[in-house]
Amino acid sequence: MLDIHLLRTDLSGVAARLASRGYTLDTDAFAALEAERKEVQTRTQELQAKRNAISKQIGLARAKGEDASALMEQVASLGDELKAAEEKLAVIQAKMQDFLLNLPNLPHASVPVGDSAADNVEVRRWGTPRRFDFAVRDHVDIGAVLGLDFDTGAKLSGARFTFMRGPVARLHRALAQFMLDVQTTEHGYTECYTPYVVTAETLRGTGQLPKFEADLFAAKKGGQEGEGEALYLIPTSEVTLTNVVRDEIVPLEALPIKLTAHTPCFRSEAGSYGKDTRGMIRQHQFDKVEMVQIVHPDRSYEALEEMVGHAEALLRKLELPYRVMLLCTGDMGFGAAKTYDLEVWLPAQGTYREISSVSNCEAFQARRMQARFRNAQGKTELLHTLNGSGLAVGRTLVAVLENHQREDGSVIIPEALRPYMGGEKVLAADGKTSE
RNA sequence: GGAGAGGUGGCAGAGUGGUCGAAUGCGCCGGACUCGAAAUCCGGUAACAGGGUCUCCCUGUUCGAGGGUUCGAAUCCCUCCCUCUCCGCCA
């Protein structure tokens, strides 16, 4: 959510910055609503003040045993107008809230202006894509004999679900454990276990609601006939980790808060029909190790660079070539002020594909959540929140299989991962180490 | 699922229709005392929103959430949510 003061004082400036990310701000609608709000709110508060003052006098008169009927008449005459004004104000404020909740964040000044992914800027590359002296297979073919089973996934749950067994299932688990251990022991994050099902209020805090309900899975408690509040499956643990500070005023010395969790993520992938239909690049359910930092506003851009480094460290340890992309204004997510994507090399596709996305949301989420800290002057101030994948486990599995494949269909396990694989060096169909 | 208790400021905890945004204690901030510290004493200390003559003043809202009664609600009524205790069931 944007700061309403900024819209009041610099509406055209806000409109220009939103336009750079392809969002057209209806300035006339805002100006009209704001003018109406100001008038109605002033009038309402005037009437409330009058009522409060007279009511107080009634109390005093009664206490002295005096007759208060003249005062009662005065206040009665306010009644209808006050009630009407309060109702009108509530409607205007709800409209205003709705308007604000649907505005995306402002891009940071350092973000390149552009319309689409084509305008993203490559910041750096690491590693050299390997040359293969045999026909490269993609992860679907490699995984077929190693336990990657899309048919069973589809039978159980439909398209975009994967079933894993044996060596691949173990590799998947090993990757998640490895990532969590690096985040906690080397990067200073606190490991968390969080709910996978959350309330609408929680999703409003991080910005998935009200605008993106179509991207979520909703859940219902058994034994209830449409009663009660809808619950949603988390699309990322950014949601649960960030909402930890919702409605909190954290002490200055508690900052920065650095949290990580390994959770499944559930996404309906509405609007991505026909995209990445082969393999496990785009699934309704995938695992991710998430990094969340909740920091002092002065430190958030420093933290952003640091978090990109944390994600990069994992890719390096796994010996996976990647590049770092700075997203342009038109390609950033709703709540982000600045985002870096990490793209891993996928030899079968002959291209780099997103495996991590790290964003600074500045106060956008904090304002929705009322997540604050007490500054050095003792005043409350909004925090800055950041989140990033460290990493998407499914896509990392794909990258390991494809980049480290061998001609005989086995896969070399990167050294960093071997302690998590019982010391084995190679992933093979028979489960045996062939070297 | 059954029975009961309860949700109040950073925390603990009073308050059952009228100067209550809220006693008291703790914590925190400032001051006094002290060479300094501790102890003690004095004073201050909620959030959010709006307005202004904008380092300050004024107004409004907020006592789990929403609705109702009333001139007036933390306090009375209704609905919902959550927490705790006991019993039952359960991984």
Side-chain angles (χ1 to χ4, degrees):
Chain A
M1 194 155 71
L2 300 181
D3 185 356
I4 194 168
H5 295 110
L6 198 59
L7 280 111
R8 285 178 186 146
T9 54
D10 185 20
L11 189 56
S12 59
V14 171
R17 289 174 73 188
L18 288 178
S20 80
R21 58 182 298 165
Y23 184 92
T24 307
L25 180 67
D26 190 342
T27 53
D28 290 344
F30 177 82
L33 194 56
E34 170 62 9
E36 198 186 1
R37 188 228 100 224
K38 190 164 176 172
E39 190 201 315
V40 175
Q41 182 164 0
T42 309
R43 182 65 187 147
T44 305
Q45 292 191 357
E46 231 170 69
L47 292 167
Q48 286 172 328
K50 213 178 264 184
R51 179 209 52 204
N52 290 347
I54 299 174
S55 290
K56 205 167 243 182
Q57 285 179 42
I58 292 172
L60 289 171
R62 285 268 175 87
K64 290 186 208 155
E66 291 168 3
D67 175 42
S69 57
L71 291 166
M72 302 271 281
E73 264 172 52
Q74 268 187 56
V75 86
S77 69
L78 295 175
D80 289 347
E81 195 192 348
L82 178 57
K83 196 171 181 189
E86 281 176 338
E87 278 167 8
K88 199 171 173 190
L89 183 61
V91 170
I92 292 167
Q93 282 176 333
K95 269 192 205 166
M96 189 62 98
Q97 186 71 1
D98 187 60
F99 185 86
L100 291 172
L101 283 174
N102 282 288
L103 296 184
N105 202 359
L106 299 175
H108 188 257
S110 63
V111 173
V113 175
D115 298 326
S116 70
D119 300 311
N120 294 342
V121 174
E122 184 175 317
V123 178
R124 61 182 165 270
R125 277 182 196 216
W126 182 89
T128 312
R130 184 179 146 203
R131 281 173 187 267
F132 292 88
D133 49 14
F134 57 90
V136 180
R137 276 162 295 203
D138 78 355
H139 68 280
V140 178
D141 290 342
I142 302 165
V145 294
L146 297 173
L148 197 50
D149 180 354
F150 295 100
D151 293 340
T152 302
K155 178 168 80 179
L156 298 176
S157 310
R160 295 202 192 281
F161 285 95
T162 310
F163 192 99
M164 289 181 253
R165 59 165 72 80
V168 157
R170 187 182 195 189
L171 180 63
H172 186 261
R173 170 165 59 91
L175 282 167
Q177 299 299 317
F178 159 73
M179 291 174 195
L180 261 186
D181 279 350
V182 172
Q183 299 297 9
T184 56
T185 64
E186 295 181 28
H187 299 157
Y189 291 83
T190 301
E191 180 173 350
C192 301
Y193 173 84
T194 86
Y196 303 157
V197 179
V198 296
T199 61
E201 195 188 356
T202 298
L203 287 158
R204 215 173 292 124
T206 29
Q208 285 78 15
L209 288 178
K211 209 173 177 179
F212 303 103
E213 188 175 16
D215 296 333
L216 301 168
F217 278 97
K220 232 187 238 179
K221 269 190 193 173
Q224 292 191 339
E225 306 249 339
E227 296 275 326
E229 203 187 348
L231 295 169
Y232 297 87
L233 305 189
I234 55 171
T236 158
S237 50
E238 164 202 340
V239 170
T240 44
L241 294 177
T242 307
N243 272 280
V244 160
V245 291
R246 189 177 79 221
D247 294 320
E248 298 285 335
I249 300 173
V250 304
L252 191 57
E253 59 272 18
L255 301 178
I257 297 171
K258 298 169 72 175
L259 306 175
T260 187
H262 161 221
T263 73
C265 305
F266 301 92
R267 299 186 182 178
S268 78
E269 294 297 340
S272 63
Y273 302 109
K275 268 189 202 169
D276 300 313
T277 49
R278 179 175 165 87
M280 61 182 298
I281 291 290
R282 193 175 300 276
Q283 299 283 287
H284 285 314
Q285 174 185 325
F286 64 94
D287 278 26
K288 184 153 61 76
V289 171
E290 183 77 1
M291 306 176 273
V292 161
Q293 288 207 29
I294 293 152
V295 306
H296 190 288
D298 293 347
R299 265 214 69 239
S300 65
Y301 280 94
E302 200 180 308
L304 178 65
E305 300 297 327
E306 181 188 302
M307 289 170 75
V308 173
H310 293 158
E312 287 185 72
L314 293 166
L315 290 171
R316 292 183 190 211
K317 283 176 195 282
L318 295 172
E319 302 162 47
L320 297 170
Y322 66 87
R323 60 179 189 176
V324 179
M325 304 294 290
L326 173 56
L327 297 199
C328 73
T329 51
D331 200 32
M332 282 196 302
F334 184 69
K338 185 173 184 176
T339 299
Y340 290 102
D341 272 8
L342 265 59
E343 296 182 345
V344 71
W345 176 255
L346 292 186
Q349 294 190 9
T351 182
Y352 288 93
R353 291 299 307 261
E354 179 186 341
I355 196 167
S356 170
S357 187
V358 186
S359 299
N360 183 1
C361 297
E362 297 189 1
F364 186 83
Q365 295 179 325
R367 189 169 291 111
R368 289 170 165 249
M369 295 190 296
Q370 282 301 297
R372 295 155 293 169
F373 70 103
R374 223 170 264 289
N375 65 22
Q377 288 73 46
K379 291 284 173 202
T380 58
E381 202 179 323
L382 292 170
L383 290 157
H384 279 194
T385 62
L386 302 97
N387 62 77
S389 358
L391 304 161
V393 180
R395 287 189 182 180
T396 307
L397 181 84
V398 168
V400 168
L401 293 182
E402 293 195 6
N403 281 281
H404 299 313
Q405 64 179 295
R406 297 197 299 186
E407 192 165 13
D408 67 358
S410 63
V411 174
I412 295 180
I413 299 167
E415 235 167 277
L417 216 49
R418 291 180 191 166
Y420 297 88
M421 293 294 289
E424 299 213 31
K425 296 181 177 128
V426 172
L427 200 68
D430 55 12
K432 281 184 211 150
T433 305
S434 50
E435 263 173 38

